[in-house]
Amino acid sequence: MVYDVIIAGGGAAGLYCACGMDRKVNGLILEGSSSPGQKLLISGGGMCNLSHGGSVKDFIPCYFEAGPKIRSCLYKYGNLKLMEFFRDRGLPLYTRDDGKIFPESERAKDVLDALVRGAGEKGFEIMTGHKVDRITPLDKCSLWEVTAGGRTFRCRNLVIACGGSSFPKTGSDGSVLGVLSRDIPGLSENIVKPQPALAPVYVEGYPYGGLRGVSFSRVSAEAFAPDGKPLAKIAGPLLLAEKFFSGPVILHISRYLKPGCKLSINYLPDAKITAKEINGLLSESRKSPANTAAEIFGLPKSFTQLLEDESCGKLSAISRRLMADTFTVLKVAGFDAAMATRGGVSLDAVSTKTFEVKSCPGLFIIGETLDVDGMTGGYNLQFAFSSAMAAAARIGGTCPTLPFTSLSATSLE
């Protein structure tokens, strides 16, 4: 009277895991929102940036401190496997010049439809409006009882794929961490408090509101603690928004920032020049400092003009800001604007080969519910795939001689 597999969460990781089963099962996906894959539908601006091209060896640093820990999983179920996965399901992909991988249709809905169809083919029913609010291990974790939507279900294998806390309106609100902390013995000490990642950054006295939409192809951003301790240094594109800094370099460094930290931006990271030398170039030119800086360094004229205006033409002030435009962080945008979540269940609590909880056989945690956050460019959806495939492979190997379908499935009213 049990399901073979119950997956809590009908987002990317949960659907990948269902599709990854090596045989048809009596499976159930419990989705808390009104429809599956809501966050998937808005990913990549609705185009669904599934992964990144190139060697998977280059992926490791894109997951920050978690990268080395998930190396073997990424190697085994990497971007080439993901592309093969979708090709086998009739959904061709392409790699853009910037390395991002998209479906050829550039429609996230096509990705979701393929995953929902694949889950159904592997025997999974999807129940929407069923948010998991209690988990009870039975018989020394050989059986799991799950309460969701006022109903109780039992299964042999339970997969937690509820996502992180970003974009909570899509159903990814982080509440499952409270359930796991309360219901799974010993897991509370292995839960890292969630915080926004890949989020815009607000600073005190932001001066670039009038330059909304101006971008830089490459700057260097440094984060410092309130006491001046260096936290991180990252290079990449920058975007000036009306009220905050954005663009990949800011999204990536946002995970290190909090109110009171310092954010310093070098607009000439590759120029190999000092502020004193910049000052000399500006002073020797017959053109205005704004025109000279824009022409020599390839910077937006509107930006250099603002620097000239704010410095009242003082060359040392312009030079200093080009090399180290420094601000005090007011706040990092919240989960409503963050693209990912830093925090969740620590990787120390699971096997990073199977994502099975070490202390609870039959319980798996995958995707963004774990304390893994990647850079922009498809890395977070790649980890959803990689961790899901690893868990599915383990579940498929738990009963190598007994077909899953020999078990009947029912819910306990």
Side-chain angles (χ1 to χ4, degrees):
M1 301 292 290
V2 297
Y3 283 92
D4 303 326
V5 188
I6 289 179
I7 298 174
L15 292 170
Y16 275 140
C17 189
C19 293
M21 298 292 159
D22 64 356
R23 67 195 99 170
K24 192 168 184 177
V25 304
N26 287 323
L28 176 65
I29 296 176
L30 297 171
E31 168 56 41
S33 64
S34 59
S35 59
Q38 290 192 26
K39 189 174 178 182
L40 185 68
L41 287 175
I42 63 174
S43 66
M47 295 167 57
C48 204
N49 177 196
L50 287 162
S51 186
H52 209 86
S55 172
V56 74
K57 293 180 180 180
D58 298 329
F59 282 39
I60 308 307
C62 296
Y63 295 95
F64 307 101
E65 62 273 7
K69 298 179 181 179
I70 60 174
R71 182 192 305 271
S72 62
C73 170
L74 292 171
Y75 277 29
K76 190 169 185 179
Y77 304 103
N79 52 352
L80 297 182
K81 287 285 187 181
L82 180 145
M83 296 180 77
E84 179 184 0
F85 172 89
F86 281 107
R87 281 198 299 268
D88 290 347
R89 285 157 181 79
L91 188 68
L93 309 179
Y94 80 99
T95 304
R96 215 164 64 177
D97 290 343
D98 60 4
K100 296 179 180 180
I101 296 174
F102 293 90
E104 283 189 0
S105 66
E106 296 186 340
R107 284 167 39 95
K109 188 177 183 301
D110 293 342
V111 175
L112 178 59
D113 288 347
L115 292 176
V116 169
R117 184 169 58 249
E121 291 170 354
K122 290 299 174 75
F124 280 86
E125 175 188 2
I126 300 176
M127 286 189 182
T128 58
H130 281 69
K131 184 176 182 178
V132 171
D133 54 33
R134 183 167 293 279
I135 299 170
T136 306
L138 303 174
D139 194 19
K140 297 181 179 180
C141 299
S142 64
L143 191 67
W144 296 92
E145 190 169 88
V146 181
T147 302
R151 303 171 66 184
T152 300
F153 309 87
R154 287 185 175 182
C155 62
R156 299 291 184 191
N157 296 279
L158 175 61
V159 181
I160 305 299
C162 298
S165 301
S166 59
F167 294 112
K169 291 182 180 179
T170 64
S172 178
D173 61 6
S175 60
V176 75
L177 297 177
V179 176
L180 292 170
S181 178
R182 181 196 64 206
D183 295 346
I184 307 303
L187 205 56
S188 60
E189 61 196 43
N190 282 294
I191 293 179
V192 181
K193 182 180 178 181
Q195 66 183 60
L198 297 182
V201 175
Y202 293 79
V203 298
E204 295 180 5
Y206 180 71
Y208 302 121
L211 302 184
R212 178 181 180 182
V214 171
S215 63
F216 302 78
S217 60
R218 179 175 166 83
V219 305
S220 175
E222 289 188 78
F224 299 89
D227 64 2
K229 178 183 178 182
L231 299 174
K233 183 176 181 180
I234 296 175
L238 172 72
L239 174 67
L240 302 180
E242 184 177 358
K243 297 181 179 180
F244 50 77
F245 286 113
S246 189
V249 70
I250 296 297
L251 300 180
H252 295 157
I253 208 165
S254 67
R255 69 195 302 278
Y256 300 103
L257 296 170
K258 61 182 180 180
C261 287
K262 298 292 184 182
L263 173 66
S264 182
I265 300 172
N266 179 355
Y267 300 97
L268 307 172
D270 303 315
K272 295 182 180 179
I273 195 169
T274 66
K276 184 177 180 180
E277 290 169 333
I278 294 174
N279 200 69
L281 291 172
L282 297 181
S283 63
E284 293 169 4
S285 174
R286 295 182 179 181
K287 298 180 180 180
S288 70
N291 284 333
T292 302
E295 291 178 9
I296 293 177
F297 302 116
L299 297 171
K301 172 65 186 321
S302 57
F303 169 72
T304 58
Q305 187 63 59
L306 184 145
L307 294 189
E308 180 179 333
D309 294 344
E310 289 196 342
S311 65
C312 299
K314 189 174 181 180
L315 301 185
S316 60
I318 298 173
S319 302
R320 185 168 57 251
R321 286 185 66 177
L322 287 174
M323 298 296 290
D325 199 12
T326 304
F327 301 89
T328 299
V329 174
L330 188 63
K331 67 176 181 177
V332 175
F335 285 120
D336 286 342
M339 296 168 61
T341 303
R342 182 184 185 186
V345 178
S346 170
L347 289 172
D348 293 338
V350 301
S351 161
T352 52
K353 291 184 178 180
T354 65
F355 297 94
E356 189 170 20
V357 176
K358 294 175 181 178
S359 60
C360 300
L363 176 64
F364 300 80
I365 303 175
I366 61 175
E368 207 176 349
T369 305
L370 292 164
D371 183 17
V372 177
D373 59 296
M375 292 184 173
T376 59
Y379 298 103
N380 287 294
L381 277 178
Q382 176 63 57
F383 178 66
F385 173 83
S386 300
S387 56
M389 291 298 113
R394 170 60 179 164
I395 291 169
T398 56
C399 301
T401 59
L402 177 65
F404 279 148
T405 49
S406 67
L407 300 173
S408 62
T410 187
S411 65
L412 304 178
E413 302 292 348

